[in-house]
């Protein structure tokens, strides 16, 4: 069994991926690392504090645990990135280069997520193809696009087995999001469950691609387990599940909570969202390694509300 190390394991995605990978591979084979933590949900297995900007600390851990696979998730996301673009660029790029370099001779397989943020205002908004115009206008999107180019470069020049997905906004009940433009689609559930109204930072008609966390975790593990010959794209794969606007998700929640109300107070994140696609064509991922989502909007809403109702203590 290959030993796995996860960088950024205490985040929204990292926590859920750590739980699932430990379930599948055995908890001692999955080393969770983060700048902070461990958070309770992943405190049951090996954990190390790691600042991924510290290369020697990273290499010490690769050696200590004989790591063969790295899932590198640490990043500054879109909204937070605009508050300190220089730091977002540094963290997102330097950390990726450290991990890719390790892929040349120490690590056998790497996962690194990209995002729909690689697209920009010039990209076709509907059914955005795998290969198309990419003109991101956030530091986050620029760093993800540059990252994709580096991933393909390291694969082509050095044979690094790097795999990547362009996630849409991820929505789960176990964890909270960490500073993105799609975060509203998680927060809205917490407000609905608490019986509060919701103030949305996007306007009511802004349609963005989204995905339930279980689908995102499944896509990630399916891609990592796919036979090498099936992974033809070494920049990053489009993956999709559903698309909706704040008013559409509000209506779906109102089927369960008829008194629930959303008010729209767009801020700087509106402009970020306007540069992103509304719907994504993920036919290449479906054809290459069999990607298929399980959750659509009604199932997402039902599942989120059911779990949060059980877990939140007032
Ligand atoms: P998050 O902000 O919730 O988690 C990131 C984690 O990285 C945090 O726990 C943080 O403490 C850790 N971290 C930050 N700096 C670090 C450092 N120097 N060293 C080690 N750890 C550090 O982010 P997330 O939502 O879980 O996203 C994970 C990855 O998936 C990111 O690369 C992100 O760009 C990508 N992604 C996420 C989404 C989404 O909707 N969540 C969508 C598209 C892509
Ligand atoms: C963000 O909003 O920044 C992330 C993403 C889509 O990459 N959720």
């Amino acid at each position: 069994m290959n030993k796995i190390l996860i960088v950024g394991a205490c985040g929204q995605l990292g926590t859920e991926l750590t739980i699932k990978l430990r379930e599948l591979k055995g908890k001692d084979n999955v080393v969770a690392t983060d700048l902070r933590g461990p958070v309770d949900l992943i405190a049951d297995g090996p954990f190390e504090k790691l600042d991924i900007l510290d290369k020697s600390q990273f290499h010490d851990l690769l050696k200590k645990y004989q790591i063969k696979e790295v899932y590198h998730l640490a990043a500054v996301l879109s909204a937070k990135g605009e508050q300190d673009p220089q730091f977002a660029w540094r963290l997102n790029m330097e950390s990726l280069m450290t991990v890719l370099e390790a892929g040349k001779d120490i690590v056998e397989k790497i996962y690194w997520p990209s995002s729909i943020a690689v697209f920009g205002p010039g990209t076709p908004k509907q059914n955005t193809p795998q290969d198309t115009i990419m003109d991101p206008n956030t530091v986050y999107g620029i760093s993800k696009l540059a990252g994709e180019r580096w991933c393909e470069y390291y694969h082509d020049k050095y044979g690094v087995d790097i795999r990547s997905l362009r996630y849409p906004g991820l929505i789960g009940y176990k964890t909270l999001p960490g500073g993105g433009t799609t975060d509203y689609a998680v927060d809205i559930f917490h407000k609905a469950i608490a019986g509060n109204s919701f103030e949305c930072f996007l306007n009511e008609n802004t349609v963005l691609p989204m995905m339930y966390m279980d689908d995102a975790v499944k896509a990630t593990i399916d891609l990592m387990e796919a036979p090498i010959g099936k992974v033809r794209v070494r920049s990053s794969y489009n993956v999709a599940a559903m698309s909706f606007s704040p008013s559409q998700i509000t209506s779906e929640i109102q089927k369960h909570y008829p008194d629930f109300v959303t008010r729209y107070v767009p801020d700087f994140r509106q402009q970020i969202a306007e540069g992103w696609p509304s719907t994504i064509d993920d036919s290449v991922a479906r054809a290459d390694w069999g990607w298929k989502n399980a959750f659509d909007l009604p199932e997402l809403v039902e599942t989120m509300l059911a779990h949060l109702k059980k877990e939140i203590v007032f």
Side-chain angles (χ1 to χ4, degrees), residues 130-181:
Q130 175 68 41
D131 296 308
T132 185
I133 296 165
M134 298 164 100
D135 56 351
N137 57 5
T138 60
V139 65
Y140 174 65
I142 296 168
S143 72
K144 288 294 184 187
L145 179 53
E148 286 192 9
R149 302 320 311 150
W150 277 117
C151 288
E152 192 177 276
Y153 184 91
Y154 269 71
H155 173 263
D156 294 353
K157 298 271 175 197
Y158 307 118
V160 173
D161 189 358
I162 168 84
R163 304 176 182 208
S164 175
L165 299 172
R166 290 175 184 149
Y167 296 124
L170 304 182
I171 303 169
Y173 65 89
K174 291 184 189 148
T175 52
L176 291 171
T181 303

Side-chain angles (χ1 to χ4, degrees), residues 27 79 102 130 158 160 179 228 276 308:
K27 76 173 159 45
Q130 175 68 41
Y158 307 118
V160 173
I228 201 157
W276 290 355
L308 286 175

Side-chain angles (χ1 to χ4, degrees), residues 60-279:
D60 289 347
L61 291 179
L62 294 182
K63 209 164 156 200
K64 176 175 171 187
Y65 289 97
Q66 300 288 296
I67 298 295
K68 291 293 169 216
E69 288 184 26
V70 171
Y71 287 68
H72 170 34
L73 310 178
V76 178
L77 276 74
S78 59
K80 218 166 153 193
E82 295 307 294
Q83 313 305 317
D84 188 349
Q86 296 291 331
F87 178 71
W89 177 257
R90 179 167 175 244
L91 176 64
N92 295 5
M93 297 317 301
E94 247 182 70
S95 63
L96 175 61
M97 297 310 290
T98 297
V99 175
L100 284 173
E101 276 293 304
K104 279 180 174 174
D105 47 9
I106 308 171
V107 174
E108 287 172 7
K109 215 192 268 186
I110 297 169
Y111 179 76
W112 170 82
S114 184
S115 160
I116 54 162
V118 291
F119 300 116
T123 304
K125 267 199 173 314
Q126 304 301 336
N127 242 359
T128 302
Q130 175 68 41
D131 296 308
T132 185
I133 296 165
M134 298 164 100
D135 56 351
N137 57 5
T138 60
V139 65
Y140 174 65
I142 296 168
S143 72
K144 288 294 184 187
L145 179 53
E148 286 192 9
R149 302 320 311 150
W150 277 117
C151 288
E152 192 177 276
Y153 184 91
Y154 269 71
H155 173 263
D156 294 353
K157 298 271 175 197
Y158 307 118
V160 173
D161 189 358
I162 168 84
R163 304 176 182 208
S164 175
L165 299 172
R166 290 175 184 149
Y167 296 124
L170 304 182
I171 303 169
Y173 65 89
K174 291 184 189 148
T175 52
L176 291 171
T181 303
T182 58
D183 292 11
Y184 90 85
V186 177
D187 299 341
I188 195 169
F189 288 103
H190 291 265
K191 292 290 185 303
I193 288 283
N196 296 330
S197 62
F198 177 60
E199 191 174 290
C200 185
F201 57 71
L202 297 184
N203 78 33
E204 60 185 309
N205 298 318
T206 311
V207 176
L208 289 174
M210 302 279 184
M211 184 179 283
Y212 183 51
M213 189 59 86
D214 286 17
D215 272 341
V217 167
K218 182 175 181 306
T220 307
I221 296 172
D222 283 357
L223 175 65
M224 284 298 271
E225 311 252 294
I228 201 157
K230 299 237 173 222
V231 187
R232 292 185 309 128
V233 173
R234 295 300 184 150
S235 51
S236 191
Y237 277 100
N238 278 7
V239 280
M242 66 187 92
S243 287
F244 56 76
S245 65
S247 76
Q248 287 167 324
I249 191 172
T250 298
S251 304
E252 200 59 44
I253 291 173
Q254 284 167 340
K255 291 182 185 164
H256 305 261
Y257 291 84
D259 297 333
F260 179 64
V261 178
T262 298
R263 291 190 306 116
Y264 300 94
V265 188
D267 66 15
F268 73 99
R269 289 168 280 194
Q270 179 63 34
Q271 205 195 341
I272 299 178
E274 276 168 18
W276 290 355
S278 298
T279 59

